[in-house]
Amino acid sequence: YGDFNSKIDYVFKVVLIGDSAVGKSQLLARFARNEFSVDSKATIGVEFQTKTLVIDHKMVKAQIWDTAGQERYRAVTSAYYRGAVGAMLVYDMTKRQSFDHMARWLEELRGHADKNIVIMLIGNKCDLGSLRAVPTEDAQEFAERENLCFMETSALESTNVESAFLTVLTEIYMIMS
Ligand code: GDP
Ligand code: MG
């Protein structure tokens, strides 16, 4: 592993933000370890997980940060955002309020992060289609207006999770390289 690590070309810090219970920790578990747990406890302690992948023949270590239950407005500290080159702005597509809060999460993010940060809006829990409370078009419109990438995902069913992280990491790579 020492050998493996010494070949890392880039380390990209990406932060997960959004209301509590939208599925941030499960998206990370799915991406980093291909795991999902139905009764996930509120995140405590864990700061970040890493996953190394190859982009354009380069070894990229993604360091994905998860809020340690700090989702109350303005409770996420500036240390969390420091050095982030990517952000996943996550809402629960079955909870309208979590989408309505995206604007202020974005405002907070832009207040703290680098101006070139790559941001992806994520509507999670698309497996619960019958409970949908946020039309795809509403999110698309918001994303276009704010210049964000957008995808609907399911951490439960693995839909678009890899793709969402890969899109962000590839975009970061194109900016950094
Ligand atoms: P966080 O507070 O944003 O980190 O949210 P969690 O990852 O802890 O997830 C909150 C709850 O939503 C848990 O009960 C998860 O099992 C559930 N959950 C997370 N992602 C999904 C998903 O894609 N589909 C469904 N149906 N449930 C999910
Ligand atoms: Mg969590």
Side-chain angles (χ1 to χ4, degrees):
Y1 267 101
D3 227 7
F4 183 77
N5 273 318
S6 66
K7 293 196 180 102
I8 300 290
D9 296 294
Y10 297 93
V11 178
F12 295 156
K13 175 177 174 178
V14 175
V15 294
L16 287 161
I17 50 176
D19 285 4
S20 180
V22 296
K24 300 180 298 299
S25 298
Q26 292 307 318
L27 284 166
L28 178 52
R30 177 62 79 196
F31 177 64
R33 297 179 270 116
N34 198 22
E35 284 176 12
F36 183 91
S37 63
V38 176
D39 58 344
S40 70
K41 302 278 179 296
T43 323
I44 354 160
V46 185
E47 287 196 309
F48 62 81
Q49 294 193 49
T50 63
K51 178 167 174 148
T52 300
L53 49 153
V54 178
I55 298 174
D56 190 28
H57 307 288
K58 295 286 194 294
M59 297 289 272
V60 172
K61 184 188 267 190
Q63 189 185 76
I64 319 284
W65 288 59
D66 189 11
T67 51
Q70 306 167 311
E71 291 98 336
R72 279 171 307 107
Y73 187 50
R74 299 252 158 98
V76 176
T77 61
S78 50
Y80 186 73
Y81 297 106
R82 195 168 302 134
V85 289
M88 312 295 249
L89 212 53
V90 188
Y91 67 92
D92 174 345
M93 67 154 63
T94 72
K95 297 255 154 50
R96 180 72 202 192
Q97 187 174 254
S98 70
F99 175 71
D100 293 338
H101 287 164
M102 288 289 93
R104 67 189 204 193
W105 279 111
L106 186 60
E107 183 190 11
E108 179 165 291
L109 175 66
R110 289 194 166 134
H112 285 91
D114 189 273
K115 69 170 167 42
N116 290 322
I117 190 168
V118 175
I119 308 170
M120 159 94 58
L121 176 69
I122 293 192
N124 189 41
K125 308 197 187 181
C126 70
D127 56 284
L128 300 175
S130 58
L131 301 173
R132 177 189 286 275
V134 182
T136 304
E137 304 74 52
D138 289 16
Q140 245 156 8
E141 194 180 298
F142 177 75
E144 269 166 41
R145 197 166 59 235
E146 297 292 347
N147 207 10
L148 319 172
C149 311
F150 167 62
M151 271 188 202
E152 292 184 339
T153 62
S154 167
L156 175 64
E157 293 184 343
S158 247
T159 315
N160 276 345
V161 178
E162 179 98 13
S163 174
F165 281 98
L166 258 181
T167 301
V168 166
L169 293 165
T170 303
E171 189 127 330
I172 295 167
Y173 173 80
M174 294 195 297
I175 292 171
M176 305 293 267
S177 62

